Amino acid sequence: MNVLFLCTGNSCRSILGEATFNHLAPAGLRAMSAGSKPAGYVHPRSLALLAREGISTEGYFSKSWEDLPATPDIVITVCGSAAGETCPAYLGPVLRTHWGVEDPAHVVGSNEEIDAAFVKAYSILRARIEAFFALPLETLKHDKVALKTEMDKIATILA
């Protein structure tokens, strides 16, 4: 099963989602990430945070949704709603859910406040990913409606 974490820039949240998912994923599940307007770089605070969490940052880069290495089965958009971001709409025949997380790259303040925003985004994504892995996926993968319902519920987890 391939999961795509999708946002606009593919420099913070979707990279955090992809790397965390792949770090925790059991065999047979794999994440990728992309953006509709890739920033062209991974935010250095995202890479530093992943490294502090013991998650490999090897091979992660900002990329376009037009260059996906595989066809996704599930698309998780992670754009934030409070900032009025417009999430890209993946139009393929996939299961879609929205796990909105505010963009820590837009936080203004001290280094500690900005780092705290990155940790908050990571913590929310990690809690949701762990909740996803706790689902009875072998059963739900045959019932897309039930899987979508469970994934939509996970979107409300705030860590």
Side-chain angles (χ1 to χ4, degrees):
M1 183 182 300
N2 294 314
V3 174
L4 171 63
F5 285 89
L6 181 64
C7 66
T8 51
N10 190 221
S11 68
C12 292
R13 295 160 294 181
S14 54
I15 294 285
L16 291 173
E18 176 187 18
T20 303
F21 188 101
N22 287 333
H23 180 73
L24 300 172
L29 295 174
R30 185 85 185 143
M32 53 194 153
S33 71
S36 58
K37 297 177 185 173
Y41 68 95
V42 177
H43 198 289
R45 289 181 192 260
S46 294
L47 294 173
L49 174 58
L50 290 168
R52 282 194 310 270
E53 293 295 323
I55 298 173
S56 172
T57 60
E58 189 73 30
Y60 293 111
F61 60 98
S62 176
K63 56 209 157 296
S64 170
W65 61 352
E66 295 174 357
D67 300 321
L68 297 175
T71 302
D73 302 296
I74 297 172
V75 174
I76 302 171
T77 50
V78 292
C79 302
S81 54
E85 290 180 83
T86 302
C87 256
Y90 188 90
L91 300 177
V94 299
L95 188 157
R96 292 176 205 65
T97 191
H98 177 67
W99 290 359
V101 178
E102 298 310 317
D103 191 349
H106 291 169
V107 171
V108 177
S110 67
N111 277 334
E112 291 77 20
E113 291 167 327
I114 296 170
D115 277 343
F118 274 82
V119 169
K120 181 177 179 182
Y122 164 78
S123 297
I124 291 169
L125 287 166
R126 183 169 180 130
R128 292 174 182 172
I129 290 165
E130 288 174 346
F132 174 76
F133 289 138
L135 294 173
L137 294 173
E138 278 303 312
T139 303
L140 290 173
K141 74 181 183 184
H142 302 293
D143 185 346
K144 301 292 185 205
V145 173
L147 180 56
K148 165 110 174 98
T149 299
E150 293 300 324
M151 292 190 71
D152 289 348
K153 287 181 193 171
I154 288 171
T156 64
I157 296 173
L158 296 177

